[in-house]
Amino acid sequence: METNFEARFEEKLAKNDVIEPKDWMPENYRKHLIRQISQHAHSEVVGMLPEGNWITRAPSLRAKLVLLAKVQDEGGHGLYLYTAAESLGISRDELLDALHTGKAKYSSIFNYPTLTWADIGAIGWLVDGAAIMNQVMLQRTSYGPYARAMVRICKEESFHQRQGYEVMTKLAFGTPEQKEMAQDALNRWWFPTLMMFGPPDAESPNSDNAIKWRIKRESNDQLRQRFVNQTVSQAEYLGLTVPDKNLKWNEAKQGYDFSEPNWAEFKAVIHGNGPCNKDRLEARNKAHNEGEWVRAAAAAYAQKINESIAA
């Protein structure tokens, strides 16, 4: 009987049909989705921290409002994604417990510090730009709830990228000191951003299944190459220099040759040894614990409403 279900599952994938929560799916497919969607959700929530730190220090009221809206969006993205993950049979409490105890991973990029206002621009331009590159294809991912969540997320991420590039533009075309600040941010965020796409395809343990199950449509290396090809011209417009001595246009492949990121650093950060890993988890646990009274009040209110309906 399971063979028939599996054949139907494979047929749906071949036809580019979406898999819905009540459809039969292989257990490994379900586990892969839980891992990927929850890591994505955790990244959105933890990603609020380095930027939220700058809301009160933004250089103008408009900058505060824009950044506040962006951080609020990221909280919403986490909510959409946790909800999609829950449709696979895992509870919100389990997901959050895995994050707060350090069992679950999130994007390595959020374990780097935001030292100046230019870092907020670099995150919007580079980090959100890389996120869009990775997430556009997820609007066509094979799991329905995930694909539908990504439609709104991608629209909002495009706003975030424009916000970041605007910050970098003002700095790059500002005073010499401001341009130097923008260059310094690019220097520090370039290679960590390239790491966001994941390890090289040959070393990625999950890429083959992700492609086979149509969860992802393109590989880590393909996405990284496209990001570099797109972003170099943006840096040139700003008058900034990409910090890679090996960066060179390759006419044969119609793309740039570029240096590999430091994958030893990537592995260290992923395993909890980055500059801000400890701070990020402490901040998340503190916020979660301090919000306990809100969750308790909401649960009590919901129970009261249900009791009144039942009566």
Side-chain angles (χ1 to χ4, degrees):
M1 181 65 72
E2 184 172 309
T3 303
N4 292 337
F5 285 135
E6 189 163 357
R8 198 174 307 161
F9 171 82
E10 296 291 346
E11 183 181 354
K12 279 193 167 189
L13 293 182
K15 292 164 58 179
N16 276 321
D17 288 345
V18 294
I19 308 300
E20 296 294 351
K22 291 185 178 180
D23 292 341
W24 184 91
M25 63 188 73
E27 183 61 17
N28 285 339
Y29 174 83
R30 188 184 75 86
K31 288 180 177 179
H32 184 110
L33 282 170
I34 289 174
R35 180 195 58 80
Q36 180 171 326
I37 298 172
S38 64
Q39 286 183 11
H40 192 165
H42 299 330
S43 299
E44 295 285 356
V45 171
V46 176
M48 299 165 69
L49 298 173
E51 294 175 305
N53 185 42
W54 275 90
I55 291 173
T56 58
R57 295 183 286 163
S60 68
L61 178 59
R62 178 181 180 274
K64 291 179 192 291
L65 291 172
V66 173
L67 184 57
L68 184 61
K70 179 185 179 184
V71 172
Q72 179 177 295
D73 283 349
E74 288 165 348
H77 297 174
L79 175 62
Y80 310 149
L81 293 164
Y82 283 132
T83 302
E86 285 177 304
S87 70
L88 290 158
I90 188 169
S91 71
R92 185 79 54 93
D93 287 342
E94 289 177 279
L95 294 168
L96 291 175
D97 182 67
L99 170 63
H100 296 147
T101 57
K103 294 177 182 176
K105 294 183 175 65
Y106 53 86
S107 180
S108 60
I109 195 73
F110 298 119
N111 288 311
Y112 290 88
T114 46
L115 304 179
T116 71
W117 176 247
D119 288 30
I120 301 304
I123 288 175
W125 171 36
L126 300 174
V127 174
D128 292 320
I132 293 169
M133 195 75 67
N134 195 38
Q135 292 171 8
V136 164
M137 66 175 178
L138 294 175
Q139 294 176 103
R140 298 181 294 116
T141 192
S142 60
Y143 187 58
Y146 193 19
R148 291 187 287 272
M150 292 312 306
V151 173
R152 178 165 179 172
I153 289 174
C154 284
K155 288 179 180 178
E156 292 178 348
E157 290 289 3
S158 66
F159 152 72
H160 300 167
Q161 184 187 30
R162 289 196 297 273
Q163 176 261 347
Y165 198 66
E166 179 187 65
V167 171
M168 295 299 279
T169 300
K170 288 182 177 179
L171 293 172
F173 293 103
T175 65
E177 293 79 9
Q178 288 174 321
K179 184 171 184 179
E180 183 179 351
M181 186 187 299
Q183 181 65 59
D184 174 65
L186 174 57
N187 292 347
R188 287 183 287 106
W189 288 92
W190 177 255
F191 282 109
T193 300
L194 295 189
M195 296 177 194
M196 284 179 63
F197 295 101
D201 292 344
E203 300 176 19
S204 177
N206 301 304
S207 286
D208 288 345
N209 280 336
I211 297 293
K212 179 182 74 173
W213 289 324
R214 301 184 189 272
I215 295 171
K216 290 180 65 173
R217 301 288 178 147
E218 295 177 86
S219 73
N220 298 348
D221 288 338
Q222 288 174 315
L223 292 166
R224 192 166 14 251
Q225 180 69 62
R226 188 187 304 159
F227 174 80
V228 173
N229 292 348
Q230 175 179 294
T231 309
V232 170
S233 61
Q234 297 170 355
E236 289 173 346
Y237 171 77
L238 296 174
L240 301 179
T241 303
V242 173
D244 182 356
K245 66 181 185 301
N246 296 318
L247 185 72
K248 183 180 180 181
W249 179 257
N250 185 323
E251 191 66 32
K253 73 176 184 181
Q254 287 295 293
Y256 285 94
D257 294 330
F258 56 92
S259 300
E260 285 289 313
N262 183 342
W263 293 115
E265 176 185 326
F266 172 76
K267 291 176 182 176
V269 175
I270 283 292
H271 288 96
N273 298 312
C276 297
N277 289 69
K278 183 179 178 182
D279 293 341
R280 298 293 183 246
L281 278 184
E282 285 180 352
R284 277 303 312 148
N285 276 284
K286 182 175 182 290
H288 186 73
N289 293 336
E290 291 179 351
E292 174 59 33
W293 70 272
V294 179
R295 296 191 296 277
Y301 179 74
Q303 183 179 353
K304 186 176 181 180
I305 293 295
N306 289 335
E307 288 173 353
S308 66
I309 292 173

